[in-house]
C-alpha cells in the first residue's frame, strides 16, 4: 500500500500548495494566479508512471499481454478477416504499436497516456478544484479499475473527454465521440440515449419521474438484462463470472455521493446544462451501482457516469460561503477518500503494488 498512499499524499501536497499560492494571488493586486498546469504536470507524470509501468499483479495484465502478441501474428489485412473477439479499434491500436516493438509494455504506456489525457482534459476545463477532482479519480474513480478493465476505461475516458459536446448540445459530434469509444469497448453505445436523459431538467417533477422509472427498472431488471444480452455480453450465462450480485459495500460510495449531491441540490443552476448533466450522472451512477447488487457486471456501466461526480462535488464545496468551514469539509472528504482507498485496495490483487521491472524478481 506504500505506493498508493504516497501517490495520494503527493497529490494533496501538490494541490494544497497550488491552492495556497493562488489564494495569496487573489488577495494581491500584483500577483497573478498560477495556471492549472503547475499542478497538472507533476501530478500527471506521477500517475502516468504508476499506471504505465505497473507490474503484472492484476488478473487481466497477462491477458492483455497475450492478446498483444496474438494480434501481431496477423497482418493488417488479416486482422479484418480474423474473428479475434475484441473491438477493432483496440486491435488496430495494438497492431500499430506492434509495428514498432514487440514489447507489450508500450501498449500500456500508450493506453495509460491517452486515458489520463482524456480525464485531465475535462478536469482542467471544468473543475473548480482540479487537485480534488484528480484525487477523487485516483482514490474512488476509474484509475485503478483500469489496471484490469483497461479497454473499458479507455472507452470511458474518450466519452468523458467528449462531454463538451454533451454540454453544448452538439449531438452529431457527441455521437461521433461515442462511436469512436465503441471501437475500443462496445458498451460505450449505451451513452447514445443518455445524450437526452442526462439533460433532464432539475426539478421535483422530473426527479420523481426518474425515481419511479428506476423502481420499475429494478423490478424488471432480469427481463431487461436478458434483452440487452442479445447485443452485449452474449457469452455470459447465469453461471459466468460477474453474473452474480456484488457486495452492498460497493454501492455505498455512489449512494453517499448522490445523497450529498441531493442535499446540496440548491447550489446548482437548473438552467445550466452542465449542472444538469453532472447531477443526473451522479444519480445514474448510484442507480446502476444498486442494480449491480443483482448482477455484478452492471457495475461496468457506472464508469461512464462516475467521472462527473469528480466535477460536481468540488463545485458544491466551492459554493460554501464560509471558507474556513469549506476547508474543514474538504479535509474531511480527503480523509474519507484515503480511508476508502486503503480499505478497497488493502489485501486485494492490487496489493502489493510493484513495477513491471520488479515482476521477475
Amino acid at each position: 500500500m506504500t505506493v498508493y498512499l504516497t501517490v495520494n499524499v503527493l497529490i494533496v501536497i501538490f494541490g494544497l500548495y497550488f491552492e495556497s499560492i493562488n489564494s495569496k494571488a487573489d488577495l494581491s493586486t500584483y500577483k497573478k494566479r498560477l495556471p492549472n498546469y503547475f499542478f497538472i504536470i507533476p501530478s500527471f507524470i506521477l500517475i502516468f508512471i504508476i499506471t504505465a509501468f505497473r507490474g503484472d499483479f492484476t488478473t487481466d495484465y497477462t491477458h492483455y499481454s497475450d492478446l498483444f502478441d496474438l494480434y501481431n501474428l496477423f497482418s493488417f489485412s488479416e486482422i479484418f478477416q480474423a474473428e479475434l473477439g475484441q473491438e477493432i479499434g483496440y486491435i488496430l491500436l495494438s497492431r500499430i504499436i506492434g509495428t514498432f516493438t514487440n514489447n507489450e509494455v508500450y501498449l500500456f504506456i500508450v493506453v495509460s497516456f491517452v486515458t489520463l489525457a482524456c480525464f485531465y482534459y475535462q478536469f482542467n476545463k471544468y473543475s473548480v478544484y482540479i487537485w480534488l477532482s484528480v484525487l477523487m479519480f485516483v482514490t474512488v474513480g476509474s484509475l485503478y479499475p483500469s489496471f484490469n478493465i483497461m479497454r473499458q476505461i479507455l472507452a470511458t475516458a474518450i466519452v468523458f473527454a467528449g462531454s463538451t459536446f454533451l454540454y453544448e448540445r452538439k449531438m452529431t459530434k457527441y455521437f461521433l465521440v461515442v462511436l469512436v469509444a465503441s471501437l475500443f469497448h462496445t458498451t460505450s453505445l449505451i451513452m447514445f440515449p443518455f445524450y437526452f436523459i442526462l439533460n433532464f431538467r432539475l426539478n421535483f417533477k422530473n426527479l420523481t419521474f426518474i425515481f419511479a422509472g428506476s423502481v420499475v427498472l429494478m423490478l424488471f431488471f432480469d427481463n431487461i438484462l436478458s434483452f440487452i444480452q442479445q447485443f452485449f455480453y452474449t457469452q455470459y450465462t447465469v453461471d459466468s463470472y460477474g453474473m452474480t450480485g456484488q457486495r452492498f459495500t460497493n454501492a455505498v460510495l455512489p449512494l453517499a455521493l448522490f445523497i450529498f449531491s441531493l442535499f446540496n441540490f440548491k447550489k446548482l443552476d437548473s438552467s445550466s446544462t452542465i449542472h444538469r448533466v453532472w447531477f443526473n450522472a451522479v444519480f445514474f451512477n448510484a442507480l446502476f451501482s444498486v442494480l449491480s447488487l443483482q448482477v455484478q457486471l452492471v457495475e461496468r456501466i457506472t464508469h461512464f457516469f462516475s467521472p462527473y461526480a469528480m466535477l460536481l462535488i468540488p463545485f458544491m464545496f466551492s459554493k460554501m460561503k464560509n471558507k474556513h468551514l469549506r476547508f474543514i469539509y474538504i479535509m474531511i472528504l480527503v480523509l474519507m477518500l484515503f480511508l476508502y482507498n486503503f480499505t478497497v485496495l488493502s489485501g486485494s490483487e492490487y496489493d502489493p503494488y510493484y513495477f513491471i521491472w520488479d515482476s521477475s524478481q
Side-chain angles (χ1 to χ4, degrees):
M1 289 298 297
T2 304
V3 171
Y4 303 119
L5 180 61
T6 302
V7 171
N8 295 347
V9 170
L10 287 176
I11 289 174
V12 173
I13 291 174
F14 292 158
L16 292 182
Y17 181 68
F18 174 74
E19 292 293 341
S20 66
I21 293 177
N22 280 339
S23 64
K24 292 177 182 178
D26 290 338
L27 298 173
S28 172
T29 309
Y30 306 101
K31 294 182 178 179
K32 294 183 179 180
R33 288 179 59 87
L34 291 175
N36 284 346
Y37 291 105
F38 278 79
F39 170 80
I40 288 174
I41 292 173
S43 66
F44 186 98
I45 293 173
L46 172 67
I47 298 171
F48 173 72
I49 290 173
I50 68 159
T51 306
F53 301 105
R54 65 187 184 271
D56 52 358
F57 47 82
T58 56
T59 306
D60 282 357
Y61 191 99
T62 303
H63 178 62
Y64 283 120
S65 298
D66 292 341
L67 286 178
F68 178 79
D69 294 334
L70 173 64
Y71 300 151
N72 286 286
L73 295 175
F74 296 87
S75 66
F76 281 98
S77 59
E78 290 173 334
I79 280 177
F80 289 96
Q81 300 173 11
E83 297 181 2
L84 296 173
Q86 283 73 41
E87 288 78 0
I88 190 63
Y90 177 76
I91 296 173
L92 284 175
L93 175 63
S94 299
R95 187 64 187 83
I96 292 170
I97 296 171
T99 303
F100 302 97
T101 177
N102 60 0
N103 188 343
E104 69 276 0
V105 172
Y106 286 94
L107 170 68
F108 298 103
I109 289 174
V110 171
V111 173
S112 296
F113 183 86
V114 174
T115 300
L116 291 178
C118 289
F119 277 101
Y120 265 84
Y121 170 74
Q122 283 293 304
F123 294 155
N124 178 53
K125 194 174 179 68
Y126 295 105
S127 179
V128 293
Y129 295 128
I130 186 171
W131 69 273
L132 188 55
S133 295
V134 171
L135 181 65
M136 292 181 69
F137 170 60
V138 170
T139 54
V140 300
S142 299
L143 179 66
Y144 296 132
S146 72
F147 288 8
N148 257 333
I149 51 174
M150 187 172 72
R151 287 188 302 115
Q152 163 115 35
I153 303 305
L154 174 60
T156 298
I158 293 171
V159 173
F160 185 52
S163 295
T164 302
F165 302 131
L166 179 60
Y167 304 148
E168 297 175 355
R169 310 311 295 159
K170 296 179 178 179
M171 183 174 68
T172 302
K173 291 183 178 180
Y174 180 74
F175 280 5
L176 285 174
V177 170
V178 173
L179 282 174
V180 170
S182 70
L183 296 177
F184 296 91
H185 209 277
T186 313
T187 52
S188 306
L189 296 175
I190 197 174
M191 296 308 292
F192 277 140
F194 279 96
Y195 173 84
F196 307 100
I197 297 172
L198 292 180
N199 194 40
F200 275 1
R201 286 282 178 178
L202 303 178
N203 55 45
F204 180 77
K205 178 182 178 181
N206 285 341
L207 286 175
T208 303
F209 173 77
I210 293 173
F211 178 77
S214 302
V215 172
V216 173
L217 178 61
M218 286 186 283
L219 290 175
F220 296 96
F221 184 64
D222 289 340
N223 295 330
I224 296 172
L225 184 63
S226 297
F227 174 76
I228 293 175
Q229 277 198 284
Q230 297 179 43
F231 309 97
F232 305 116
Y233 298 116
T234 54
Q235 72 274 27
Y236 286 82
T237 67
V238 291
D239 298 319
S240 300
Y241 172 78
M243 295 303 289
T244 57
Q246 68 174 352
R247 295 176 300 174
F248 177 75
T249 51
N250 291 26
V252 169
L253 177 67
L255 286 171
L257 292 175
F258 173 66
I259 292 171
F260 176 85
S261 302
L262 197 59
F263 274 103
N264 291 275
F265 178 75
K266 292 184 178 180
K267 292 182 172 66
L268 302 178
D269 180 3
S270 61
S271 64
S272 169
T273 304
I274 293 177
H275 290 178
R276 291 199 298 271
V277 170
W278 290 356
F279 181 84
N280 290 334
V282 170
F283 167 76
F284 281 103
N285 182 39
L287 172 62
F288 285 112
S289 294
V290 172
L291 291 175
S292 69
L293 299 178
Q294 299 182 51
V295 179
Q296 183 181 351
L297 204 61
V298 177
E299 189 268 341
R300 294 284 190 96
I301 300 175
T302 64
H303 291 289
F304 290 106
F305 303 103
S306 62
Y308 298 98
M310 302 163 205
L311 299 172
L312 179 64
I313 302 302
F315 174 81
M316 288 180 164
F317 277 123
S318 73
K319 290 301 179 180
M320 295 181 178
K321 296 180 179 179
N322 188 319
K323 63 179 183 180
H324 300 294
L325 188 61
R326 182 197 313 153
F327 179 78
I328 292 173
Y329 275 119
I330 290 177
M331 288 299 101
I332 292 173
L333 175 62
V334 168
L335 177 60
M336 292 176 65
L337 293 175
F338 273 49
L339 290 174
Y340 182 88
N341 189 238
F342 179 83
T343 303
V344 170
L345 296 181
S346 181
S348 69
E349 65 175 327
Y350 299 88
D351 181 32
Y353 176 97
Y354 54 83
F355 291 100
I356 189 60
W357 50 78
D358 297 324
S359 61
S360 61
Q361 298 180 8

